[in-house]
Every structure is written in C-alpha cells, then in structure tokens.
Amino acid sequence: MQDQKNILVSNMSKELKSLVDQLNKIKPDKNFHLTIYEPNMFWKINWKTDRYLEECFRVHIYADHAKYSLIAEHGVKDFFEHINDRYFNFKEKTLEEFYLITNEIVQKIKKAVLVSIDKDLDKGM
C-alpha cells in the first residue's frame, strides 16, 4: 500500500511540475509556482495576484474509509476572509485507480486554473 502511495504521489508531483511550466508559458505574468506536501498527498499551485493576499489552486487526495477521494479547489486569502470554490472531486477510488487517471486529473486542473486566475470569488461562498 505504501509503495502504491509513493508511486502515485511521485507521478502526480512530476506531472504537476510539468503543468506549472506549461502555465508559466501560457501566462508568464502570473509567475505560477508549486508547493508539494507529499506525505499528505497535497499540492498547491500559487500565482501572482493583485486582487487578494494569496490565490491558489489546491489538490488533496485523502483516505476515505477503505478507498481514497480527491478534492480540487480554488482558494483565496484576504485580510479577513478565506474563500474556497470547489471545482471537482473524485470519490472512493483506489490509489491504483488514481494513478491510472493522473493525466485526466492534471488536464482538469489545468482548465480549472486557467478559469480561476480571472475569476472573482463571491465572498458569500
């Protein structure tokens, strides 16, 4: 089980690093960068923003009973607020299933980030 987790995390990290390089070519003014917390299966893509103190897109795979789930969301921090906008999720999959759909996940992340960078989040969310 730990080997499957390490393989998935390593592959996801590699693919997201490549994605950040692509995003920096598409929108160089945003200065995208990736933060990885491999033990927690958590990745965060940040970019330069003039609208908020911090703006990012987060992806987290977490244990959900006997299987795993993934959540992907756009998040912002402002002086007094933290706002999240969930984009997509996958529920009840094995680590192997997540490994097999890594490319699909990365493509969804790419589309979501490109939408997120120009989206104002409603403070009522």
Side-chain angles (χ1 to χ4, degrees):
M1 180 71 99
Q2 188 63 35
D3 287 343
Q4 284 182 334
K5 180 179 175 183
N6 291 340
I7 291 168
L8 170 63
V9 168
S10 175
N11 189 53
M12 183 71 81
S13 295
K14 181 183 88 163
E15 294 297 325
L16 289 175
K17 286 175 188 175
S18 176
L19 173 61
V20 167
D21 289 342
Q22 291 173 36
L23 291 169
N24 278 317
K25 287 177 184 168
I26 296 168
K27 296 271 192 179
D29 59 314
K30 291 298 183 181
N31 191 27
F32 293 94
H33 60 277
L34 177 65
T35 305
I36 302 170
Y37 301 100
E38 286 189 347
N40 295 341
M41 294 194 290
F42 179 87
W43 300 267
K44 180 169 71 167
I45 299 172
N46 286 83
W47 57 87
K48 182 179 169 188
T49 179
D50 296 326
R51 303 178 300 173
Y52 307 103
L53 292 176
E54 180 184 346
E55 191 167 11
C56 66
F57 196 86
R58 295 183 292 262
V59 178
H60 184 215
I61 298 174
Y62 57 94
D64 192 11
H65 304 291
K67 295 200 175 187
Y68 291 82
S69 294
L70 177 146
I71 185 168
E73 62 188 4
H74 175 206
V76 299
K77 288 182 186 176
D78 216 345
F79 286 106
F80 302 108
E81 300 179 287
H82 294 238
I83 306 167
N84 299 313
D85 184 15
R86 189 172 293 174
Y87 269 73
F88 63 90
N89 64 338
F90 291 92
K91 293 188 178 257
E92 298 184 11
K93 296 201 174 292
T94 65
L95 293 173
E96 183 178 350
E97 288 172 316
F98 274 118
Y99 179 80
L100 294 172
I101 63 168
T102 299
N103 288 336
E104 176 186 345
I105 294 167
V106 171
Q107 287 308 305
K108 284 180 172 245
I109 293 168
K110 180 179 181 180
K111 288 178 186 174
V113 168
L114 290 171
V115 169
S116 296
I117 59 176
D118 294 320
K119 184 176 182 182
D120 286 321
L121 292 183
D122 179 10
K123 294 182 192 270
M125 293 179 94

